Amino acid sequence: ASISEGIRFVDTAEVYGSGRSERLLGEFLKQTEQPILVATKYAPYPWRFGKNALVRALKASLERLGVESVDLYQIHFPGITMSTDTLMEGLAECVKSGMTRTVGVSNFGQTRMLAAYSALARQNIPLASNQVHYSLLRREVEKDGTLARCQELGIRLIAYSPLEQGLLTGRYTASHPPSGVRAGQYSRLLPKIPALIKLMTEIGQDHGGKSNAQVALNWTICKGTLPIPGAKNELQAQQNAGALGWKLTEAEVGKLDEASDLIMK
């Protein structure tokens, strides 16, 4: 469904399902002739040492994916036992070996991101991306200048959880919270979001009946980011793709920003 809607970028990681996500993606890649941009990630576990650990990990990922190279290889989160410089040396080796076309980081704050950018620049390799949590209900990277610095340096900010695990779809309320861990995680936010959800619904109607999810995704796109929403079924995949092909006005983005700010106070 995603491919038929024009989606060509898929993000995974070696830790998702302990490699099962990569193996499944590898199977799916064989079932289509469409070129797919594949991104995966390296987990800098404390027991992994040295830049060659990244090379070995990427080789294992490529084997699970059934491909010779990926389009983007990312550090999943800052390392504890390896410095940023060492991690970037490992990414550089992965690029030079031809196993990945570009490299990025994930969950890096501005200071670490700039260190990564500089370390790669010394080897004439650009830092392609920084994948972080970003949504209408999670705007720290916008407020602290990380997003602006990404745009200044040509680093694409990839936004994960752009729908805030369903909260921005309008599906949940304080009287009908999500199940499991999310119930406690979002207990304080749920009573505050009705005004934002109402505004999103109104804006969506002004654009021909776009859903709250599509408005939320389009907002992240208008901010210059690449959102990567998850989809659990065909309908959700089609709904996500409906965020493309149109654009919120500057005034609408401003109204959504204001409504978001009121919640975050």
Side-chain angles (χ1 to χ4, degrees), residues 37-52:
L37 297 174
V38 176
T40 192
K41 308 183 199 73
Y42 167 83
Y45 293 128
W47 54 86
R48 284 174 156 173
F49 297 95
K51 63 182 183 180
N52 288 333

Side-chain angles (χ1 to χ4, degrees), residues 108-262:
F108 272 45
Q110 188 174 165
T111 301
R112 278 198 174 99
M113 180 186 76
L114 293 176
Y117 176 89
S118 297
L120 288 171
R122 289 194 288 271
Q123 303 201 46
N124 296 314
I125 295 173
L127 177 64
S129 61
N130 186 8
Q131 183 178 148
V132 296
H133 191 167
Y134 182 60
S135 77
L136 269 165
L137 296 175
R138 186 73 179 266
R139 295 171 60 195
E140 287 88 345
V141 293
E142 181 183 343
K143 301 292 188 180
D144 68 11
T146 300
L147 175 56
R149 186 53 65 90
C150 282
Q151 293 168 340
E152 176 188 333
L153 297 175
I155 302 167
R156 176 56 64 92
L157 191 143
I158 301 175
Y160 70 76
S161 291
L163 299 178
E164 211 57 50
Q165 300 188 59
L167 248 66
L168 289 169
T169 66
R171 178 181 177 185
Y172 303 111
T173 64
S175 58
H176 178 63
S179 59
V181 176
R182 288 180 299 168
Q185 184 180 356
Y186 293 118
S187 61
R188 293 183 180 179
L189 271 181
L190 282 170
K192 300 180 180 181
I193 65 173
L196 173 61
I197 297 298
K198 182 176 182 291
L199 175 62
M200 292 167 67
T201 301
E202 292 171 353
I203 290 175
Q205 290 304 309
D206 290 341
H207 285 274
K210 296 300 181 184
S211 69
N212 290 342
Q214 290 163 348
V215 170
L217 292 173
N218 197 275
W219 176 87
T220 66
I221 293 170
C222 288
K223 293 288 186 174
T225 76
L226 172 64
I228 49 170
K232 293 184 177 179
N233 53 53
E234 180 180 358
L235 179 60
Q236 288 184 2
Q238 293 169 339
Q239 283 286 312
N240 289 342
L244 301 172
W246 61 282
K247 190 174 183 180
L248 293 166
T249 66
E250 288 186 14
E252 288 168 338
V253 171
K255 288 179 180 178
L256 290 168
D257 286 354
E258 290 175 6
S260 168
D261 286 336
L262 289 174

Side-chain angles (χ1 to χ4, degrees), residues 25 34 56 58 67 93 99 116 122 162 181 191 195-196 228 233 264:
L25 178 55
Q34 292 286 350
R56 291 191 296 270
L58 181 51
V67 297
E93 288 296 322
M99 293 193 296
R122 289 194 288 271
V181 176
L196 173 61
I228 49 170
N233 53 53
M264 296 295 103

